[in-house]
Structures are given as structure tokens and as C-alpha cells.
Amino acid sequence: MSYAKSTFRHPNLKVNDIGLTYRDYEGVVSTLCAGCGHDSISAAIVHACAELSLPPHKIAKMSGIGCSSKAPNYFLGRSHGFNSVHGRMPSVTTGANIANKDLTYLAMSGDGDTASIGLGQFAHVIRRRLNMVYMVANNGVYGLTKGQLAATSDKGARNKAGDISPFNEIDLCVMALQLGASFVARCFSGDRQQLVSILKAAISHEGFAFIDIISPCVTFNNQANSKRSYDYVQQHISTAAISDFVPVKDEISCDLPAGNYDDICLHDGSLIRLYKSDENFKCDDKLHAINMIEKHKVKNQILTGLLYVNPAIDTYHEVNQTSDTPLNQLREDVLCPGQRVLSSINESFR
Amino acid sequence: MTQSKTNNFVIRFANTNGTGSASANHMFAKAIMRMGVPVSAKNIFPSNIQGSPTWYEVRINEQGFLGRRGGAADIMVAMNSQSFQRDLEDVAENGYLLYDNSKSQDLTAVPSSVKKLGIPIAQICEKEYQDQRLRQLFKNVIYVGALAALLDIEFDVLRSLVSDQFKGKEKLITPNIFALELGYQYAHSHFDCPLEPRIERRDLIGEQILVDGNTGCALGAVYAGATVVGWYPITPSTSVIEKFSNYCERLRIDPATGKKNFAIVQAEDELAAIGIAIGAGWNGARSFTATSGPGISLMSEFLGLSYFAEVPVVLMNIQRTGPSTGMPTRTQQSDILACAYASHGDTKHVLLFPKCPRECFELTTIAFDLADRLQTAVILMSDLDLGMNDHLCQPFRWDDERRYDLGKVLNEQELEALEQYGRYQDVDKDGICPRTLAGTHPSKGAFFTRGTSRNRNAVYSERSDDYVDNMQRLEKKFATAAALVPEAVIQQTRQAADISLIYYGTSAQVIDEVIAGFEQQGLTVDTMRIRAFPFGPEVRKFVQKRKNCYVIEQNRDAQMRSLLVNELNLSPQVLTSILNYDGLSITAEMVITKIANERKIAPIRQGVQR
């Protein structure tokens, strides 16, 4: 069931550049479990889109099947959404994106949807360099079917039922890096500030942006021995660099610590400013990123933050040389060559 | 009974695949057409790239009976040493064997009535060409030249064919004509030309073209305005995409920018292929995918989504011999039920059945209109025989006045004028609800497309009444579809005929010959060619007016018959199956023999039942 939210708006709510408040970016009331990490992700998306002043109707929400994939109903109620089939969101998004390159594609998937049933589609959508944001709400378990371990759970992880994951986990960030994603980040749903700034950067990035969001399952994977519980993640999180997203029109002003930072300029002129806690951290080297992820794992730490970005890579439509007008807006006068041409084609078959 | 073999014979070429024989054989078939004589060509090829036996069978028939004739060939061009002995057995009595006698061949199996025409083709090539590759290629051209002399084909016809074929590569014209002449001269000076089977110029072609069905599908997609393709390679559908791509490179490049007004994605599998097409359809671009049996199995999941979430998509199924991997390079019509009811739950899909390349073109353009109008998957049911073989048919035609039917898609003004929008509100009472596309209106018309149950406003619902309401509307939509799809083509005598035939797709190519065969026996024949599923009222009427109809199909399990019985609630006894499923194209002889047998058995059967 979905419930309508109150349409009451506080008169002093801050209005963004296109005259909307963040409440205009909300969806229906969530039916996920109280305290679900996914709801924090939804809230972060609402804030990121509102702060970027994106027109909601120019956003398409794409998802597969699972708790994660239900979430798009709970944000951006003024945007079209497509809750497709299990593990197939990447192909549906590919088609949608190719048909209309002018929308912002926010895709939401889960660990089962991406790392198991949809692993093939995940790999290939990265190769295709779509301009999209691909989020995985990663809680290490299958929520909707009541807590089976997912392929992103590390070896030895124990779920609520006491089952132990016997095999090594799939690290989706490492895969994304190897396969050529041009923006890779890992976040924690409990760190709103980091998530919002990374989301804003990911949306502004022209290319394939992947964000693995550790999002604890309060019902099936929040017990003391779980490595995906709120407590465990909070205690083992490590951030190489805190990022701030600076839109093109804004002056750089933020309350982050002064000190060692790098600026990364995105395609639209906006900046990602990285305040580095680790001086040696760099964001433009995928081997370095993979190395860092693995090194932290050995120390039982989860490395979060922006891990890699390449703002200069050609996207699908640049590679394909697709027309400037989105394909879904081309009309028959452009598309249909007419009888005269067909007559000459017929001639070649005589 | 001996019939004149002038403009009435079958010639079979036995080649090795990957040796360049295909284009020489194609030139031969085209030469017959340019002599004004009806011709068909069937390529019987292995699932292999190089080195296996392949046959090309050309039927020449001035009555226009162009289905596979079956039986032994009147002329065998035996160019493959691997299959040579087997090919010797396939020469008709009093037929001809054309072979390469450069090396001594074992001809003991050749029946005495068969005339042996040995030509030292390899020796000629060795003498004339230095390059090993050219020696191989021109072997094929030399036997075509020899056949021109033997069959009395005008040499100028071949000359003009070569010039047309190598337009833009003029350097190749002279050596090809030279090779044709080598063969032509050899045959002239060594054999008694022309043979009894021969070609006499006629004027029976008119404006017809000789082309394969996959080209028809590809051009249909171009003309219908398809812009997005997701696909995965699979025989025999691959050439649909190759040809679509070639025509797009010619016809769909923006003249100002040089950019593409299309996108073709080779996907990682068939799941993704149709997923891409559905994603594009959801966003309002015309999109399609092409596949064959194994791909249909994989795509079934998405076909269910297309049906339930109501997203337009066109799927071209170039059927091959199943089940499983089956015989990948042989033909069949065996996906009828798999496609009609593809996917779990209660699903039904619109199917179209083209009979020739011209209809591949036409029905493809109609498929796109229907998919948009009905907001669902439309499956074009072609097959390997139609898709990959050249068929003589009417030329492709496009009416420049025709406009695409993009269906019920609300634009910004229409949305603005609406007080309330619900995605699944059946405002027109035809089961088809107006849809909206992302990006249309700043605050109206957004909804969440899903494969889960929902109410009329697209809100998730587990209420039984919402679910049933939606399922009933989808049923109503399918009834609307029955009125929109192409009608069956019915030919009937005033009184009920002695024999009534129901058929579809490539079985059409033998029907005229079947009718002629029965007419010779003094029997009248009524026919109905089904062109679409769901069936229109004319289909039921045709069956109900008759005690019995023969349903001609190219599958083992009588799938169309099952569909007719099931959907029209017929008694199974009123439909008798005539089935061909050996992987080769159906023949008139088989149909006539089986129907004759059934007619003998039928009275006995009735006796038993009584």
C-alpha cells in the first residue's frame, strides 16, 4: 500500500532555482521497515535533486526487483519510474537512455538484483558508458524473501538465521572500476552529508556513475555479528577524502576542514572538492582505487567516499554518434525515406 | 506422364560452404528471373563456417509453382567431392550430372539414364589463374557460364548481371565475364546444347523482385521509423539486423551533422536485447529486436512485462527447427504456442504471419503501429525459409500519405487540460489507456511503470478487485486487437468446396500447386490464410461453415490447430492436421499425398465413432 502524504507546505520552506521546495521531490510514504537504510538513501536523493534544482519531470527512475527497487516510489513523485524485472534494470535503462538522452537517469538496484541475477547486465551497462547514476542499496541480504545471504556478503558473514556465507564476496566497486565506470564511489546510508554530496557529483558527472551504498537491513541483517549492521559499519568506516560538490554557479564555501584538497572539474563546469585525510589518496587512478579498497579490507575497514572519477570520457551517445535530437523525438519526415527511395531499392532486387 | 522440361525443372548445386559459391548461385537464379521466367532458390546450409557441404536448389516453373518441389534434381551440379557420392543418388531419372572431371571420379553409382557432363573446371582455372583464391572463386563462375550454354540462357543477361553486381568495382567486371565465357565456350564445344531442361524467354515476372524476407523486415523497420535496436546474434535472424544497419547507414544519417538517427546495440544476451527494446519503447522511441527459438525462450520474461506493464515493442521471430538448439539452419513454424502465450501467468501476445518478403515488409510496418496502438509486444512470425531464402514477390511499397499510428500518448497540452490523470483509466472503453512519456509535463502525468499489480492510477495494489479489474481490461484490449490486426485472406467457392485448407506463413508457397493438383482430380478447394493472432471473426466463420478443414503447418504438434481449438472453442474433430516438420521447406506433393490419405481414412474413422 502507498499512502498519500500531506500536501501542506510550510510557507518558509526554502525554494530552489526553479521555484520548488525539497518536498516537491518527495515520493509516497515508504512501506519499507522503519529504520531501513534505503529510506535514508531516498531522502538523500530528494535533497540532492532539490539542491541541484533538477526539473523532476526530466528525471527517470529505473529499478529492478527487491526492497531497493521498490524505493524509487518513495522519492521523486513527479518523475516517471520504471520498476522492471529482476536483474534487468540495466538493459531497460540502456534502451530508455538511448531513446531519450536528455533525461537524468537515476537507477536503483540492490545486491541481489546487481551482484547475482543481474551481474551480466551490470557488467555490460558499464561497458556501454551510459550517462546515468547506478546506485546499489547494499545490505548483504535478500530482504523481500526474508534474509538469505547475498553475494556481496563477505566470506564468514552470518545472517540473522545463522547461515554463514561460505564464499568470497563480490566487490561491486572493484568490478565497476575494472569494467571502466568513469565515476565510482562507496557510501554509507547513515552518512547523509557525504551521500548527498556524492550523489550531486554523480548526477552532474557526464558518464556512468556507480555508487555502492551500504544500507543496513534493520530486520534481517542488523544483529551484533553482522558486518552490514549500523554499528559495525559505523565502527569500521574509513574515508580517504571528504568530498564537497560545488555547482558551477556557486562560490566555494563550505564548512569542511581547511587543508589538503584537490579540485576535480566536471563537464558542466561544476567542481568536486576533495578534502583528503590521506595525503597519498588520488582520485584519478583506478589501480590505486582498487588497491586502497583491498588494503582497507585487510584491516577490516570499509573505505568510503569518492574512489575514482574521470570527467573526460566519451559517453555512449558520443561513441555512437547519435543525433543531437533525442531519438524518441524524431518524426516520420526524418525517419521514413519514402516511396521514391524504395523504388530504387526494389530495382536492386531485379 | 512426361511434362516438357522447358522452364520447368529443378537444378541443385552441391558446394562446399565458404568457397564463394553463394554469389555465383545467386547470379544464376537472378539470370532466370531476367529471362522472364519464375524462379525460387533454397539454400540448404550447415551450421558451420567453412568446409561443410551446402546445397542450393533452384526451381524453375513457368506456372509459378515455386515451393520446394522435393525429390531428385533434374540437373545436379556436383562440385563437392565430400558429398559427391550422396549427390549422385539425388539425380532424377534421365537427369544430368554436371561435375568437375579434372581428377578421375568414381561414377559407378550414376544410373545409366543420367547423362554425365564432365568439365575440367579445376584444370581450366589452374591454366588461367595464378592466384589460389581466384582459382577457387572462378570455379563457381565457370559452371554458371557452362549452364548458360547448356540451358540456353542469353549470355547478355549474365553480362548485365555482372555489371550490376560489381557497380563501383569495375575492375572485377572483365575477369568475371571472362570466367563466364570460359565455361560457356567449353560447354558449347563439348556438349549438345541446349539440354532438354532449358530456359525460354518469357514475360512472366512483371515488376516482381527476388529477395529474402529478412531484407523485407529490415526495410519495414526503417520505413516504420524504428530507431532503437537491441539484439543478440542468432541464426537465422542475424541478417535482419545486418540489413537494418546497412540501410540505416545509407538512409538515416543526418545530412547536416553526419550523426545517426538510429542506435543499434549488440547486447550481452537475448534478455538484454529485448530489455533494451522495451526500455526504448517505454520512452516513446520505436524499437525492436530480432531472434529465433532459443532467444524466444529467454525473452519470455520480458514479454510478460511488456504485456502486463503495457509497453510497446516489436519482436521478429525468424523461426528455426527446435526444440532446444534443434537444427539451427533448418526451417520450421514451431514457436506458435510459445509466442502466443509467452511468459508465466495469463498472457497473450499479438502475432503476425507474413508469407513472402513483401509481406515481411508490410506486416513489419503494421507491427510497429499495432505495438504503439495496443501498448504491447507484437511478434512477427517469420521463419528461416522466408527469412534467408530468395523469394519472387511483389515489390516493396510505401504509401507516402501514410502516417505512423503512435497510439494514445498524451502531449503537454493534453495533460495540462486534464484535471486528473490515471495511467490505467480505460477512458475510451477499448481497454487501451492513454500513456504518458517522461519529460512531457512539469507536474502532471508522471507514474510508476511496474510489473506488479496496481490500481487504475498505477498505484501498487494487492486488492483482488484491482487485480481482476486490470486483468479483465487487458482481456478487453486483446479483443480490441482482434479487430485491428490484418484479416485472414479467404478464397472460397460459392458452395462449400470438397477440401478446405487453413494455412499461414511460408506454407503459402505451395498452395497454388496444391489447389492445381486437386483441381486436376476434379476437386474444388477453399482456403484461408491466417495472417494474425488474435483471430478475427472471419476465422471462426470460415471454420464454422465447414465440416472439416485441413490445417497445414510446419511443426510436429499442430500448434496453430491447438490455438484455433483453444481460442475459438472448437471441437478438435473439425480440424485435421497436415504436418511437415523435417526442417526442409514444405512441398505441395507432401500436402496433396497427406490430404488424400486423410480423405481415405476419414470415412472409416467416422464409422468407428458411430
Side-chain angles (χ1 to χ4, degrees):
Chain A
M1 285 289 290
S2 304
Y3 297 90
K5 278 185 185 171
S6 154
T7 50
F8 174 76
R9 298 284 183 272
H10 191 282
N12 295 337
L13 265 184
K14 212 172 122 192
V15 179
N16 69 8
D17 289 350
I18 56 169
L20 300 177
T21 72
Y22 82 88
R23 303 236 17 215
D24 297 315
Y25 291 82
E26 288 180 337
V28 299
V29 172
S30 171
T31 62
L32 297 168
C33 308
C36 178
H38 300 5
D39 284 334
S40 312
I41 301 173
S42 297
I45 293 169
V46 166
H47 280 91
C49 292
E51 286 168 27
L52 287 173
S53 297
L54 295 180
H57 70 299
K58 298 287 185 191
I59 302 171
K61 305 175 290 181
M62 314 301 287
S63 65
I65 293 293
C67 292
S68 63
S69 300
K70 287 167 75 171
N73 208 15
Y74 315 133
F75 56 84
L76 298 172
R78 291 191 188 183
S79 306
H80 274 68
F82 196 163
N83 185 193
S84 62
V85 270
H86 202 14
R88 322 287 179 230
M89 175 277 285
S91 63
V92 175
T93 309
T94 300
N97 182 305
I98 288 174
N100 187 356
K101 63 188 178 59
D102 285 356
L103 301 177
T104 297
Y105 291 89
L106 298 184
M108 185 80 153
S109 183
D111 37 45
D113 203 51
T114 287
S116 288
I117 193 168
L119 194 64
Q121 296 220 342
F122 172 66
H124 287 273
V125 77
I126 297 175
R127 289 184 64 225
R128 280 184 215 116
R129 302 183 175 187
L130 289 188
N131 183 14
M132 69 179 288
V133 181
Y134 191 125
M135 291 167 275
V136 169
N138 185 352
N139 55 18
V141 289
Y142 287 69
L144 270 183
T145 52
K146 308 210 164 185
Q148 297 80 8
L149 287 157
T152 54
S153 276
D154 23 337
K155 191 179 170 193
R158 185 191 294 264
N159 70 358
K160 198 176 180 182
D163 301 329
I164 292 169
S165 184
F167 306 118
N168 288 345
E169 88 280 14
I170 290 173
D171 189 313
L172 293 171
C173 283
V174 172
M175 265 193 84
L177 285 161
Q178 285 172 335
L179 290 163
S182 49
F183 182 112
V184 177
R186 178 164 277 148
C187 294
F188 172 44
S189 65
D191 183 349
R192 164 84 63 91
Q193 194 180 23
Q194 183 194 44
L195 185 53
V196 171
S197 95
I198 289 214
L199 269 169
K200 279 158 56 178
I203 292 167
S204 305
H205 171 70
E206 210 174 291
F208 186 89
F210 177 70
I211 314 175
D212 183 40
I213 308 166
I214 296 162
S215 175
C217 174
V218 286
T219 305
F220 294 110
N221 208 7
N222 199 30
Q223 62 281 8
N225 55 14
S226 165
K227 292 187 178 180
R228 288 280 181 274
S229 67
Y230 278 108
D231 286 348
Y232 182 90
V233 176
Q234 252 147 9
Q235 282 156 20
H236 293 80
I237 205 159
S238 162
T239 303
I242 295 167
S243 55
D244 186 30
F245 178 75
V246 189
V248 61
K249 56 187 173 34
D250 283 17
E251 280 178 42
I252 295 175
S253 69
C254 57
D255 44 13
L256 288 163
N260 187 7
Y261 66 80
D262 281 347
D263 280 344
I264 300 156
C265 186
L266 296 182
H267 217 264
D268 62 356
S270 53
L271 286 183
I272 303 170
R273 176 158 289 189
L274 277 182
Y275 296 87
K276 305 197 287 191
S277 53
D278 177 347
E279 223 172 275
N280 298 318
F281 180 73
K282 44 189 176 175
C283 226
D284 58 353
D285 179 347
K286 61 174 84 167
L287 286 180
H288 174 73
I290 293 171
N291 218 346
M292 292 279 285
I293 292 169
E294 299 297 342
K295 271 185 180 161
H296 278 76
K297 251 183 232 169
V298 173
K299 292 187 282 181
N300 261 332
Q301 282 184 333
I302 304 163
L303 180 65
T304 61
L306 181 62
L307 302 170
Y308 175 75
V309 62
N310 175 4
I313 197 163
D314 279 353
T315 63
Y316 174 83
H317 289 286
E318 286 158 323
V319 175
N320 184 58
Q321 288 285 300
T322 318
S323 69
D324 298 328
T325 309
L327 293 176
N328 71 342
Q329 282 151 44
L330 297 172
R331 292 295 164 234
E332 53 198 311
D333 54 326
V334 172
L335 297 174
C336 184
Q339 176 58 36
R340 207 176 50 81
V341 172
L342 197 53
S343 298
S344 77
I345 292 172
N346 281 327
E347 224 25 74
S348 66
F349 305 127
R350 291 202 173 103
Chain B
M1 188 178 75
T2 50
Q3 256 187 323
S4 160
K5 288 206 158 44
T6 301
N7 292 344
N8 180 24
F9 59 94
V10 168
I11 175 166
R12 190 177 299 155
F13 299 84
N15 300 103
T16 308
N17 75 334
T19 57
S21 56
S23 66
N25 296 345
H26 179 71
M27 180 162 67
F28 174 81
K30 246 181 156 173
I32 312 283
M33 179 178 65
R34 289 200 181 180
M35 290 289 289
V37 178
V39 61
S40 68
K42 306 232 179 277
N43 195 2
I44 300 153
F45 61 103
S47 182
N48 178 284
I49 299 305
Q50 204 176 47
S52 291
T54 173
W55 293 271
Y56 188 77
E57 189 172 293
V58 177
R59 184 176 184 188
I60 294 122
N61 185 287
E62 69 176 19
Q63 286 167 281
F65 299 155
L66 295 177
R68 190 169 70 90
R69 192 188 69 180
D74 299 298
I75 303 169
M76 174 70 74
V77 182
M79 302 307 292
N80 183 351
S81 53
Q82 208 184 329
S83 65
F84 192 77
Q85 290 303 322
R86 185 172 147 195
D87 293 332
L88 297 182
E89 295 166 20
D90 281 340
V91 191
E93 207 177 317
N94 299 315
Y96 297 85
L97 172 73
L98 194 157
Y99 68 106
D100 187 347
N101 63 359
S102 302
K103 283 183 203 151
S104 76
Q105 302 262 26
D106 177 5
L107 298 171
T108 47
V110 183
S112 57
S113 76
V114 170
K115 290 166 210 69
K116 291 163 265 196
L117 310 170
I119 303 178
I121 298 177
Q123 282 176 13
I124 294 173
C125 283
E126 216 154 300
K127 191 173 136 232
E128 299 290 341
Y129 305 103
Q130 301 306 311
D131 185 319
Q132 198 60 37
R133 202 177 54 90
L134 291 183
R135 281 179 183 168
Q136 178 54 52
L137 277 178
F138 284 124
K139 270 187 192 173
N140 307 310
V141 183
I142 286 171
Y143 68 66
V144 173
L147 283 169
L150 291 165
L151 302 176
D152 216 9
I153 298 169
E154 294 161 21
F155 198 82
D156 273 352
V157 166
L158 288 175
R159 205 191 303 269
S160 70
L161 269 169
V162 169
S163 309
D164 290 354
Q165 190 181 338
F166 296 109
K167 205 173 267 174
K169 300 177 216 160
E170 270 71 19
K171 264 201 250 165
L172 296 172
I173 294 176
T174 314
N176 271 282
I177 289 176
F178 178 67
L180 285 170
E181 272 169 349
L182 287 173
Y184 191 88
Q185 293 308 338
Y186 187 93
H188 242 294
S189 46
H190 290 80
F191 308 122
D192 198 4
C193 296
L195 309 176
E196 193 209 336
R198 67 183 68 168
I199 304 294
E200 247 174 47
R201 182 170 273 287
R202 294 278 187 274
D203 187 13
L204 298 169
I205 300 300
E207 55 172 4
Q208 290 180 94
I209 55 175
L210 186 66
V211 69
D212 62 86
N214 284 356
T215 298
C217 290
L219 273 169
V222 172
Y223 273 73
T227 51
V228 181
V229 175
W231 74 291
Y232 187 77
I234 182 170
T235 305
S237 73
T238 306
S239 60
V240 173
I241 309 299
E242 279 169 6
K243 284 169 185 176
F244 179 77
S245 169
N246 292 343
Y247 283 115
C248 282
E249 293 288 348
R250 256 172 69 187
L251 304 168
R252 285 279 192 78
I253 302 292
D254 186 280
T257 60
K259 289 188 172 181
K260 292 178 184 169
N261 288 331
F262 65 98
I264 300 170
V265 185
Q266 185 183 326
E268 58 270 31
D269 55 28
E270 282 94 344
L271 298 165
I274 193 168
I276 289 165
I278 284 177
W282 178 74
N283 248 350
R286 286 195 155 179
S287 57
F288 74 100
T289 184
T291 192
S292 192
I296 293 296
S297 293
L298 289 175
M299 291 179 181
S300 293
E301 178 188 49
F302 262 123
L303 287 171
L305 180 76
S306 163
Y307 176 81
F308 199 54
E310 302 184 64
V311 182
V313 67
V314 171
L315 164 58
M316 298 168 190
N317 179 9
I318 319 301
Q319 297 167 89
R320 66 188 211 186
T321 305
S324 192
T325 311
M327 288 201 283
T329 58
R330 298 288 185 270
T331 197
Q332 225 168 39
Q333 299 175 316
S334 52
D335 299 340
I336 310 300
L337 290 173
C339 287
Y341 301 129
S343 204
H344 55 272
D346 291 324
T347 54
K348 287 183 187 191
H349 305 287
V350 177
L351 313 180
L352 302 177
F353 303 98
K355 68 154 183 166
C356 65
R358 154 75 175 251
E359 253 193 17
C360 284
F361 177 86
E362 257 170 33
L363 294 189
T364 296
T365 64
I366 290 171
F368 281 99
D369 279 354
L370 285 172
D372 275 340
R373 169 61 43 186
L374 295 164
Q375 304 173 6
T376 195
V378 175
I379 311 177
L380 188 86
M381 304 291 283
S382 177
D383 63 32
L384 181 140
D385 180 13
L386 176 53
M388 293 189 72
N389 287 323
D390 283 338
H391 298 257
L392 201 60
C393 66
Q394 291 303 312
F396 302 130
R397 242 189 244 312
W398 178 261
D399 177 2
D400 285 328
E401 299 300 309
R402 178 173 164 183
R403 291 292 162 262
Y404 299 159
D405 177 5
L406 298 174
K408 301 180 189 178
V409 183
L410 299 177
N411 62 27
E412 189 176 3
Q413 292 74 35
E414 288 164 330
L415 274 171
E416 185 59 46
L418 276 185
E419 234 167 74
Q420 227 191 349
Y421 170 73
R423 168 66 180 96
Y424 300 105
Q425 296 287 355
D426 187 8
V427 286
D428 302 321
K429 307 289 173 219
D430 57 0
I432 307 167
C433 313
R435 64 181 188 131
T436 59
L437 303 176
T440 306
H441 190 283
S443 59
K444 286 178 169 177
F447 70 99
F448 203 51
T449 306
R450 51 169 103 238
T452 42
S453 182
R454 68 271 163 160
N455 66 18
R456 291 181 182 185
N457 292 322
V459 175
Y460 180 75
S461 170
E462 291 171 2
R463 288 176 59 125
S464 294
D465 54 353
D466 282 338
Y467 172 80
V468 171
D469 176 62
N470 187 50
M471 290 302 280
Q472 286 177 345
R473 183 184 54 75
L474 287 170
E475 209 172 23
K476 191 203 280 180
K477 187 167 87 166
F478 208 64
T480 301
L484 295 176
V485 296
E487 279 184 22
V489 179
I490 293 170
Q491 282 181 338
Q492 51 193 352
T493 44
R494 210 160 287 170
Q495 278 94 35
D498 302 312
I499 295 169
S500 295
L501 305 179
I502 298 174
Y503 65 99
Y504 58 96
T506 44
S507 299
Q509 60 193 321
V510 304
I511 293 302
D512 284 349
E513 198 175 356
V514 168
I515 294 172
F518 283 125
E519 280 175 351
Q520 266 181 14
Q521 302 171 31
L523 296 167
T524 54
V525 182
D526 286 348
T527 62
M528 173 168 69
R529 179 164 70 87
I530 292 173
R531 289 201 295 167
F533 175 72
F535 305 121
E538 75 285 1
V539 175
R540 177 189 292 280
K541 227 167 117 192
F542 183 88
V543 180
Q544 277 178 340
K545 269 168 62 183
R546 290 163 171 80
K547 272 193 211 131
N548 189 277
C549 297
Y550 295 99
V551 185
I552 302 167
E553 304 196 51
Q554 300 176 52
N555 59 64
R556 186 193 68 180
D557 291 348
Q559 297 188 21
M560 181 62 86
R561 178 174 173 270
S562 297
L563 198 61
L564 285 163
V565 166
N566 190 40
E567 293 289 325
L568 302 178
N569 205 15
L570 300 172
S571 158
Q573 281 157 353
V574 304
L575 299 177
T576 306
S577 284
I578 302 298
L579 304 170
N580 170 73
Y581 56 91
D582 60 3
L584 298 174
S585 310
I586 193 165
T587 66
E589 192 200 358
M590 185 284 288
V591 175
I592 292 171
T593 310
K594 286 195 174 170
I595 291 177
N597 285 341
E598 282 293 335
R599 282 167 60 84
K600 268 182 239 155
I601 298 164
I604 303 166
R605 224 189 256 154
Q606 278 168 11
V608 172
Q609 274 162 10
R610 230 180 283 129

